[in-house]
Amino acid sequence: MSARSGFHGKAVLITGASSGIGEELARQLAQQGALLTLAARRAEVLALLAESIQKATGASPLVLECDVTRDSDVGLAVAETVRVRGKLDIAFANAGFGVAGEFAKLSLADYHRQLDTNVFGVLRTLYAALPEVIRTRGQLVVTGSVAGWVAMPGVSAYAMSKFALRALANSITPELAQSGVALTLISPGFVESNIRRVDNQGRVHPDAPEPLPRWLVVGRTHAARQILRAVARRRREAIVTGHGKLLVALERFAPWILRTAGRVMVARGGGYRSEPV
C-alpha cells in the first residue's frame, strides 16, 4: 500500500499538531486527501496552520485546542472528529516535550510533568480513540523516540518516558490486533522541530539556538514521509533517520560504545542538550 492511496478519505486526529513532526504530518496528510483534526495547546498556531493547509490543498481541517494532560480534552477531540467526519480511522498520539538536566538538579515535579505529557498524555489519547478505531479497524500511532532505545546523560526524564512508550507498544500491539487495530510506534532520531527549544515547564523559546550540529538534524519533510510510509504499511515500529538506526544497532550489538560515549559526555560537562533559556 502506498502512503498516497492509504490516507485518502481517512479521518485522522493528530495531537501536538502545532509544530515539528505533527505539523509536517498534517501538511502531507492533507495533500494525500486525509480528513484532518488538528489538536494542540496553542489554538492560534493551529488556526494559522489550518489556513495554510486550506490555501495549499483546499482541505478544511478541524482545529481544536487540546491539552493531553487534561483528562477530558482528548475525548472531546475524538467526539468532535466523529461528529463532523462520522468516523475516526487513525489517531496520532504525537504530543510531547523533553525535560533536560542532570539527575541531581531535577526534581520529582520535573519527572511528574514529563511523564504526565509523554506517557499519560499518550494513554489518554489511546483510550479516547480506541472505541472508534475498533469500529473502523483503524490504527493508533505513537510518537516515541530513539531515546526509547538509547538513554544518554542529561535526558533521564525524557528517556524514561520514551522507554515506557516502547514497552507499552510492545505489550498492547498483539492485544489490539485481535480487534483489527494496528499500532505503529514511531522512533525518530534528531528531527527538525521545536522540541529542543521547549523548556522544562513546557514553554517554547522560538529564538533559542539549535543545540545540535546542522548535519545531524534530519529535515521534518523527509522524516514525515518515512513515518507515513510506515503507517500506511501498518508496521509495528519504524526507526526514523539513519543516525537513529545506527544508534539502535549500537545499543543492541555494541552497547559498550554508547556507555563510553556517555562517560565522555559527562566528563565534558553534561549531555547532548541543556534546557533552553
Side-chain angles (χ1 to χ4, degrees):
M1 179 188 294
S2 71
R4 183 167 297 278
S5 67
F7 298 113
H8 185 80
K10 299 287 188 181
V12 180
L13 167 67
I14 306 172
T15 67
S18 60
S19 66
I21 289 174
E23 176 187 349
E24 185 59 30
L25 288 172
R27 292 186 185 279
Q28 293 192 25
L29 284 164
Q31 291 169 358
Q32 296 172 28
L35 308 173
L36 294 176
T37 299
L38 309 179
R41 293 180 302 165
R42 297 181 294 165
E44 69 285 356
V45 179
L46 284 180
L48 293 174
L49 173 59
E51 182 181 353
S52 174
I53 287 173
Q54 187 168 33
K55 288 179 180 178
T57 68
S60 299
L62 295 177
V63 172
L64 300 171
E65 183 175 351
C66 176
D67 185 339
V68 298
T69 67
R70 295 198 292 250
D71 287 342
S72 61
D73 278 23
V74 186
L76 292 173
V78 169
E80 185 65 8
T81 299
V82 174
R83 185 187 72 80
V84 175
R85 309 299 192 192
K87 61 177 182 174
L88 176 62
D89 295 294
I90 306 172
F92 284 81
N94 174 71
F97 79 110
V99 167
E102 295 177 29
F103 174 71
K105 295 180 180 178
L106 296 178
S107 67
L108 285 176
D110 290 317
Y111 285 88
H112 275 292
R113 194 180 311 110
Q114 181 73 101
L115 297 179
D116 196 22
T117 298
N118 287 16
V119 178
F120 288 97
V122 167
L123 285 169
R124 291 182 182 99
T125 304
L126 300 187
Y127 276 121
L130 184 58
E132 300 302 328
V133 295
I134 286 176
R135 291 188 182 95
T136 59
R137 298 180 72 83
Q139 193 165 3
L140 301 168
V141 184
V142 173
T143 300
S145 172
V146 166
W149 286 85
V150 181
M152 298 303 285
V155 288
S156 57
Y158 181 71
M160 277 180 64
S161 71
K162 297 303 184 177
F163 266 78
L165 292 183
R166 191 163 144 255
L168 174 69
N170 286 343
S171 181
I172 69 175
T173 294
E175 298 176 14
L176 297 175
Q178 296 299 305
S179 300
V181 173
L183 188 147
T184 298
L185 174 66
I186 304 299
S187 298
F190 301 126
V191 173
E192 175 193 4
S193 76
N194 281 333
I195 192 169
R196 291 173 294 278
R197 297 186 176 95
V198 178
D199 66 23
N200 289 355
Q201 306 299 318
R203 295 183 294 256
V204 180
H205 297 257
D207 297 326
E210 169 61 68
L212 298 173
R214 184 180 297 272
W215 61 266
L216 188 57
V217 179
V218 174
R220 63 186 183 181
T221 301
H222 178 67
R225 287 197 193 106
Q226 291 186 49
I227 291 168
L228 292 181
R229 190 175 301 117
V231 173
R233 294 170 178 169
R234 294 168 75 93
R235 286 178 53 187
R236 183 168 182 147
E237 181 177 6
I239 298 166
V240 177
T241 71
H243 66 261
K245 293 174 182 176
L246 174 61
L247 288 169
V248 170
L250 288 173
E251 177 63 32
R252 294 180 66 186
F253 302 114
W256 62 270
I257 294 176
L258 296 177
R259 307 301 178 265
T260 301
R263 289 194 294 271
V264 171
M265 283 183 184
V266 172
R268 290 180 176 177
Y272 81 88
R273 60 158 282 197
S274 57
E275 184 181 6
V277 293

